Amino acid sequence: MARAKFITYWHRWIFIFSIHQFLFASLAQSEGNTIRYQTSEEDAPGTVIGNLAKDMSLSLSHSSKTNFRMMKQFNDSFIRVRESDGELSVGERIDRERICRHTPQCLISFDVVNFSKERYKLIHVEVEVKDINDNSPEFPNKESVVEISENAAVGSRIPLDPAVDADVGSNYIQSYQISVNSHFTIDVLLRADGVKYAELVLMKELDRETQSLYTVELVATDGGHPFRSGSTKITIKVTDFNDNSPVFDQNSFSVSLPEDAPVGTVILDLNAVDADEGLNGEVVYGFGKQVSPEIRELFQVDNKSGRLTLRSPVDFEDKSTYELDVQATDLGPNPTPSVCKIIIHVTDVNDNAPEISITPMTSITTGIAYISETADKDSLVALISTSDRDSGVNSQVHCTLYGHDHFKLRQAYEDSYMMVTAAALDRERISEYNLTIMAEDFGSPPLRKITQYTIRLSDENDNAPHFTKAVYEVSVVENNAPGAYITTVEATDTDLGNNGKITYRLVDSVIMGSPVNTFVSLNSVSGSIYALRSFNYEIMKQLDIHIQASDGGSPQLQSTAVIRLKIVDQNDNQPSIIEPPLYKGSAEVVLPKDAPVGYLVTQIKATDADEGINAQLSYKITEGGHLGFSINKDTGKVHVSQQLTYDLTDNVKVTVSVSDNGSPALTSTAIIHFSFIEGTLPSLPSLTQNGSEELFEWDMSIAIIIVLAGSCSLLLLAIILITTICSRQKKERREGGYDEKEDIPNVEKGNSFTTISARDPHISGKDSGKGDSDFNDSDSDISGDVHKKDPIPCLWACTSECKVLGHSDRCWSPSATRPNTSLACGPHLSTFSKTSSLPRDTRRENYYPAHIPKTNGLQSVYEKVQHQEFDYILVGPPTPARIQETDEISIPEYTNS
């Protein structure tokens, strides 16, 4: 049974006291804590040796499966460490004789790291493997033969081959015994290298002639419980004697041999002298029979000169002491050899460079350690163990780290170092460190071992995505197509993998009442921005888009940037003429027919929704420039450029264009109709003086009031005349015998308007309801019953003046009932000319003067009017009209008949 135990004492209380004393000593708080255990060789795998957590009173972290970790070292397969609580157990069968062949004490050393509360503790563990008596003593040969001369003196000694026992201590050979006989006994001796052997001692004189052969059994016994033994059979031959034996200068020698001595080195010159003559005095040398084959491989002796030389290299680390016997024998009959004992001490030289073993805390690839870039200062990276097979100062090793000051070595105990961090790390600055570790011993000259080692930093999500600028300014021309590409934003993240994988999104915001994602779209992977609608510079000049870049780490890191999207103006708006007000692209302007040169007729004013050069306007007369008018290309003011010679009835048409300065330029045109009046307008513009352009200007509001007052006077006069004419016609008809009831129809209302005829009582105000044309009106039908009674001589079409006064689009023309009249519709009727501006009324969109062909009946009406007094047809609204704004009021022009 394996057990955790320390050095055994005689009494149990002494043993327990020693254990406590040891644990208190080993639990001292230091970086290199050492604890020792004992186990026996040949224990079964899994046998528990001890428990680090319990023996060292260490706290365990229940949230982690790893509290202890064994650092991989030279003999790590024999002992296992349970990571949860540090329980030590036998990993594989331990054969003490195999791993500790020449040492009395057998230790298995290794290091264990304890993790506790984010800190670590390095524990050095030494497990002493106790020997068990599992090997029996064995002799090299089961049978052997020795010779002894019959004249050998009592007390003569013959060395015997020692037995071999791989066990140590009390389990090693403790005694030799020889079977009972009358002539020989044994004497047990101890060699310098600790080997016990026996010498055969002659106790009684021999007589070859009486007995020439003796057989004894030699038994070797160890001190185990139970003990083990081995035996060999020895045959002793009694030979005839030779009077003198060779004699060595010394019976024993002790020499030192450096382990680096070259092959052939002379170790010792032996010399033996034999007093006999001839062959009995000629000496030869050789190893004794008990010399092992191992020694014969390493050393050799010249059989004639007795020179002992090195045959093969020796190694102090393998074995440091050799003991051998050299015999000197004469060539005479029945020689009696002499034995010289030689002890060779191999001295250590610094012939072994240190060995380095590096065990990283985290490793995926051999020779590479991994550590997080967020590791704290003094974090353990790897454990460095050193060893040197030499002894003394030659085995003492110093370790040095070269390569970068972010890491350093800290000595844990005599031959182990901890590689720890010396500063904060940043993978984005340095991702890999190539370090050099040099182990050097203190020998003379020193030997060193250099090892290259790589430390790689594992990435942590410690960098947020980075935009090069907080605000990016991007321009897009207005009127872009929906879906048009705008720009691509790009953020960088120096982290790796998902920690550096960037996705983009629009930050929620509201622009002009709508979410930002209705204006643009963003590709979350590429960062490309596309327009979702066509932009209009005149509505929106700038758009701020907030972009958020997020990495894929945990937790995520973000950063934002603003894309300032500037809408670039495009020349997409034509100039709009606002003064004078236009109706269907034209306007009418009145001016005195005798206006002098330089007279300011009007000013063309226009606006352009664009900006910059796209809104810089210039004015030009494109048609009618030769008619006596000019325009200032910058201000749009229209002047009289030459003396005017027009009549009041003339209507001069000039086409004016307004162009912007865009590329291409956009142009709007207007037709200006100039009408002429007598005299001067109330506010006369000033003439140009001294070459400077000072234009005549007059107050338009006063002119409008004057014109309206004149129109009202004319309207009142027309009513009086119509009333007078109607009275006269009634009187004439009564005198002529006409029947009023038959010939004069009732005046009816149609479409909210009243039509009054001053000349012809047979006028109908009834509308057929079939549209604007009077051809389909029942009262104006030139066929049917009415035609049978009286042919229709004339139809009167409603003119634009009716609309100015608020009449309906559907005006009726009175039907003449009196045939063959000589009246005609002539030009002497008072009419209203076209006004300079007509406000647009959607309710009266489709109206045109009725172009009625002049039939015979119609022609007679025209002739009748031509030769009679003025015949007025007044059409007026039955309800009050809307009061028009000043800028909507048309200025009627008039002529006197």
Side-chain angles (χ1 to χ4, degrees), residues 71 73 111 355-359 380 382-386 399-401 408-410 412-413 415-419 437 439 453:
M71 308 305 287
Q73 297 178 35
D111 297 292
E355 293 295 328
I356 300 176
S357 173
I358 303 176
T359 306
L380 179 61
L383 179 68
I384 300 176
S385 300
T386 62
C399 207
T400 310
L401 179 67
K408 64 182 179 181
L409 292 182
R410 180 178 296 166
Y413 43 88
D415 57 355
S416 292
Y417 295 83
M418 294 181 297
M419 184 188 298
I437 303 166
Y453 202 74

Side-chain angles (χ1 to χ4, degrees), residues 636-661:
K637 293 182 178 180
V638 180
H639 304 89
V640 176
S641 61
Q642 63 185 27
Q643 188 63 44
L644 302 178
T645 59
Y646 300 108
D647 294 333
L648 294 178
T649 58
D650 292 334
N651 189 293
V652 177
K653 182 175 70 174
V654 174
T655 302
V656 177
S657 68
V658 183
S659 301
D660 57 30
N661 200 25

Side-chain angles (χ1 to χ4, degrees), residues 214-232:
Y214 297 89
T215 301
V216 296
E217 183 181 19
L218 180 64
V219 179
T221 304
D222 61 25
H225 299 281
F227 66 86
R228 291 173 178 265
S229 63
S231 63
T232 183

Side-chain angles (χ1 to χ4, degrees), residues 552-592:
S554 179
Q556 277 190 335
L557 299 178
Q558 300 95 10
S559 63
T560 58
V562 177
I563 307 300
R564 185 152 293 160
L565 184 61
K566 293 187 175 181
I567 314 301
V568 179
D569 184 38
Q570 194 177 36
N571 193 24
D572 58 341
N573 291 281
Q574 288 184 326
S576 175
I577 299 175
I578 58 175
E579 288 188 12
L582 301 180
Y583 175 70
K584 292 187 177 180
S586 64
E588 189 161 345
V589 176
V590 295
L591 74 159

Side-chain angles (χ1 to χ4, degrees), residues 64 100 119 161 204 258 275 349 497 507 530 539 552 577 671 718 737 748 755 772 796 848 872 876:
S64 174
C100 303
R119 300 297 296 173
D161 292 336
K204 185 179 180 180
V349 296
V507 178
Y530 301 89
I539 297 176
I577 299 175
I671 299 175
E748 298 179 1
T755 304
D772 293 342
W796 188 263
Y848 300 92
Y872 293 94

